[in-house]
Amino acid sequence: MTREEELTRLGWQRQATYDEPRLSEMVDTYREIGLEIHLEPFDPAEEPGCTECMAASPQKYKTIYTRKKS
């Protein structure tokens, strides 16, 4: 089971992958609308589309997962 499958099983929904400053902006937006936030390290293997530029500096990126507060 992949990490994304595990998170999905726990009720998390993958949103997108960002670096700063957009990462913090999106986290704040999701919190403002009442969602729980979980950040995962960027994994080029689980990212759809071209990730060549992002893979050069993977530590800069985080993938945002959200779910409704319980």
Side-chain angles (χ1 to χ4, degrees), residues 28-47:
D28 289 344
T29 299
Y30 287 125
R31 282 193 177 122
E32 285 175 12
I33 61 174
L35 296 173
E36 285 184 78
I37 306 299
H38 175 75
L39 299 177
E40 281 285 308
F42 170 67
D43 181 355
E46 291 190 9
E47 189 71 27

Side-chain angles (χ1 to χ4, degrees), residues 52-65:
E52 192 171 317
C53 296
M54 295 166 74
S57 299
Q59 70 283 358
K60 290 176 39 178
Y61 297 90
K62 301 283 186 225
T63 301
I64 301 173
Y65 287 82

Side-chain angles (χ1 to χ4, degrees), residues 3-18:
R3 179 69 176 145
E4 185 168 2
E5 290 170 338
E6 180 182 347
L7 290 167
T8 299
R9 189 178 54 77
L10 295 171
W12 293 100
Q13 181 178 6
R14 184 183 183 286
Q15 298 299 331
T17 301
Y18 297 104

